[in-house]
Every structure is written in C-alpha cells, then in structure tokens.
Amino acid sequence: AAGAAGSGPVDGKAVYEKTCQVCHATGVAAAPKYGDKAAWQARIKQGEDTLYGNALKGLRGMPAKGGAPDLADAQVKAAVDYLVAAAK
C-alpha cells in the first residue's frame, strides 16, 4: 500500500489507514480518536514538534511510529498532519 514502506510516498491518509487507524479509529489505549476535536485540542496546543516527537518516539503505550518502524519520519509526520487536520 502507498505510504506503508519507508521508500513509499508521503501520504498521511494512506499511512493513517494502514497503521494509525488501528488505535485512533476506536480510541484503543486512550488514543485520541480521529476527528475528535475535544480529545485533540490540548495536544494540538502543544505544537507540531511535540506531536511529531510523540508519534516518532512513542508515548504512553503507543509504540514508536505506531509500531511500524519501516515508516520514514516524513510519513509519520504526514499521518500526524492528517489526524490534526481532521480535528480542527
């Protein structure tokens, strides 16, 4: 799938659908749900550098890069951007 490998295109939606939605679609392990403005508000206020860092390194049970270590940093950042855009 596009965006699934580190050499693939930088497509935030594709990365989200392949990797991130496993937790962010349902809120598994307190992951903020896709499109949930209230859940994302405080996170967005921390700034994109913090959001990117958390996604790249992992946070509170979320594995680094959402458990897909083959993703390029740019792909992870694109997925974060996709999630944030849905919550604005």
Side-chain angles (χ1 to χ4, degrees):
S7 60
V10 178
D11 180 345
K13 181 179 180 188
V15 174
Y16 170 80
E17 290 175 348
K18 174 128 177 101
T19 305
C20 311
Q21 76 173 350
V22 171
C23 295
H24 288 284
T26 61
V28 169
K33 291 182 186 177
Y34 175 83
D36 184 340
K37 293 178 183 185
W40 281 97
Q41 183 178 8
R43 290 167 174 88
I44 291 169
K45 285 182 181 180
Q46 293 176 352
E48 70 180 20
D49 287 342
T50 297
L51 288 170
Y52 292 155
N54 291 342
L56 291 167
K57 296 174 187 167
L59 178 71
R60 290 187 284 256
M62 182 188 94
K65 295 186 176 186
D70 59 322
L71 290 174
D73 289 0
Q75 291 173 304
V76 175
K77 290 177 180 181
V80 169
D81 292 342
Y82 178 77
L83 282 160
V84 167
K88 287 189 173 179

